[in-house]
Amino acid sequence: MDGWGLTCLSGLVSDVQYGRLGSNMCLSGLVSDVQYGRLGSNVTLECSVAPGRSSVEWRLNRSSALPWQHHVTSDGHLVLLHADHAAEGNYSCYDNQGLLIQTVRLQLGHPPGLLSVSCRVPNHNLVFCSWVESVKTHLPAQYHASYRDRNQVMPCDVSPPPQQRCTITGPTMWQPYHDINITETNPLGTQTTVVRLRFDQLLKPDPPEAVTAEGVVGFTRRLQVNWRPPASWPNDSGPFPLHVQLQYRPVGSKVWSTVETMDSHLLITDALEATAHHLQVRVQDGHNPDSQWSDWSPVQQASPWTRSTVQPTEVTPADYETDATTTPKPENLYEEGGNLGVVVLLALFAGIILALVSSLFVLMWMRHRGWGNRTKQELTSMVKMKSMPI
């Protein structure tokens, strides 16, 4: 087949025939379904003329008028010049008596180009790779995908159309790299794309699920936060625990506070009283610091417990007796009276320091005064001794 001259496929056609990219393309046969051609090229459709027939007539979609620039050769071929999508449709050729000779549907497009490939690794057992065409071919295509693992070529199971995705099951996660090979084939050609990736660095769990937050009864600065690992992560975690990061802030604030844990729950103890807070959670593979954090979970809003949230209840004599004999829990007293205790301790400490400084000052003053009296007495004695006759 000549790729640059007049390209023809002759003979009886039952399903699909196509020509390799060229400036001219043609198809012959008594019956045909689809002919594929390259956009912008000269496309040739051939009509099999039986001996004794002098001429043929071409029609597009049963219309006697052909809107596109064309010419008919002496042997009955129809040549469409620089065809674009407006030239697509069902072409029929008839003999000079109006009898149908054959019909062909023309579809135009481009050969495949390189693909833009990306892979997502939600856990250690699955890899999802997808791709986007760099060239819009406008033609049906088939894909074959594979990857190299431990020097072996393994399949990447391609999903049915129209999805452009394949799935790798049970890869060796800790290989230095993996080569992903995806081949696209359409009626005008074949193109293979190879990308090199590191699955351990692409590992990115899905966000945690069922995130809830609520105040703790009796504590005005606490919030209890719970969540579940993503459904795509192994249920028992096993050798792959999740590292969890929780961020929270008062509504309206721009500054997040962050805490981390390996559990599926966390208690916030420094929330602002009677203030709504926003919270989010994300996770990362606990054994692989090179892996990626998941996206943040949707924002949750919660407020600490307040006394105003207590519903009034009917008081009975038993309640009075209980109240008279019950003392508040020390934990509550510490939490609610913590600020007062700190102030008292600071005042006591300041008093002790002041007393020590005052005592030191008094001692230094007394010592200085005693030294001055002694000096005066010595000077008086010396004067008296000098005044005595020798």
Side-chain angles (χ1 to χ4, degrees), residues 319-334:
D319 295 329
Y320 286 114
E321 186 175 347
T322 302
D323 292 340
T325 58
T326 302
T327 58
K329 293 182 180 180
E331 186 178 359
N332 288 350
L333 291 177
Y334 290 143

Side-chain angles (χ1 to χ4, degrees), residues 49-72:
V49 181
R53 294 175 180 173
S54 58
S55 64
V56 298
E57 178 187 4
W58 282 94
R59 298 178 185 177
L60 172 59
N61 299 327
R62 298 184 179 181
S63 172
S64 58
L66 296 179
W68 200 253
Q69 295 182 0
H70 66 281
H71 68 267
V72 179

Side-chain angles (χ1 to χ4, degrees), residues 40-327:
S41 68
N42 295 341
V43 179
T44 301
L45 306 178
E46 183 177 329
C47 182
S48 298
V49 181
R53 294 175 180 173
S54 58
S55 64
V56 298
E57 178 187 4
W58 282 94
R59 298 178 185 177
L60 172 59
N61 299 327
R62 298 184 179 181
S63 172
S64 58
L66 296 179
W68 200 253
Q69 295 182 0
H70 66 281
H71 68 267
V72 179
T73 64
S74 58
D75 53 1
H77 300 342
L78 174 65
V79 180
L80 302 174
L81 304 177
H82 309 293
D84 65 14
H85 285 301
E88 293 178 315
N90 296 320
Y91 287 84
S92 303
C93 68
Y94 298 82
D95 63 12
N96 55 2
Q97 298 179 357
L99 297 177
L100 176 65
I101 301 174
Q102 72 177 46
T103 299
V104 61
R105 180 165 64 88
L106 177 62
Q107 186 172 349
L108 303 175
H110 296 288
L114 291 175
L115 302 172
S116 176
V117 181
S118 62
C119 293
R120 186 173 68 90
V121 187
N123 58 51
H124 293 80
N125 299 318
L126 285 176
V127 178
F128 300 114
C129 293
S130 59
W131 51 88
V132 178
E133 299 172 335
S134 61
V135 176
K136 187 66 175 177
T137 66
H138 306 286
L139 299 176
Q142 292 183 340
Y143 298 94
H144 176 77
S146 62
Y147 74 102
R148 184 175 294 276
D149 191 352
R150 289 180 175 176
N151 297 322
Q152 295 182 343
V153 177
M154 306 292 289
C156 184
D157 297 327
V158 178
S159 302
Q163 300 182 76
Q164 295 181 339
R165 188 178 83 165
C166 70
T167 303
I168 298 173
T169 304
T172 304
M173 187 65 63
W174 309 111
Q175 288 285 97
Y177 57 83
H178 296 78
D179 288 332
I180 311 297
N181 183 314
I182 300 174
T183 300
E184 178 184 4
T185 301
N186 75 13
L188 299 183
T190 297
Q191 178 68 56
T192 297
T193 302
V194 180
V195 294
R196 176 164 291 185
L197 304 171
R198 286 190 58 177
F199 290 165
D200 60 321
Q201 293 181 349
L202 292 177
L203 178 59
K204 180 181 179 180
D206 292 326
E209 301 175 357
V211 179
T212 61
E214 58 183 357
V216 180
V217 176
F219 299 90
T220 59
R221 300 192 62 189
R222 294 188 179 185
L223 287 171
Q224 180 65 50
V225 187
N226 299 281
W227 59 86
R228 288 202 309 263
S232 58
W233 200 258
N235 291 332
D236 57 357
S237 292
F240 307 118
L242 285 172
H243 181 200
V244 184
Q245 190 175 75
L246 165 68
Q247 67 176 12
Y248 60 98
R249 66 182 179 186
V251 173
S253 173
K254 295 183 179 180
V255 180
W256 291 97
S257 297
T258 303
V259 290
E260 298 182 359
T261 182
M262 299 294 285
D263 295 324
S264 59
H265 55 83
L266 196 144
L267 180 65
I268 298 173
T269 60
D270 59 351
L272 297 183
E273 296 185 12
T275 302
H277 290 69
H278 284 161
L279 308 98
Q280 289 181 294
V281 185
R282 65 177 182 176
V283 294
Q284 181 191 37
D285 180 15
H287 290 324
N288 182 8
D290 293 331
S291 64
Q292 302 179 34
W293 284 98
S294 74
D295 294 333
W296 288 103
S297 64
V299 175
Q300 300 292 320
Q301 181 169 313
S303 301
W305 174 86
T306 60
R307 291 176 181 83
S308 61
T309 59
V310 178
Q311 298 297 325
T313 57
E314 183 179 355
V315 180
T316 64
D319 295 329
Y320 286 114
E321 186 175 347
T322 302
D323 292 340
T325 58
T326 302
T327 58

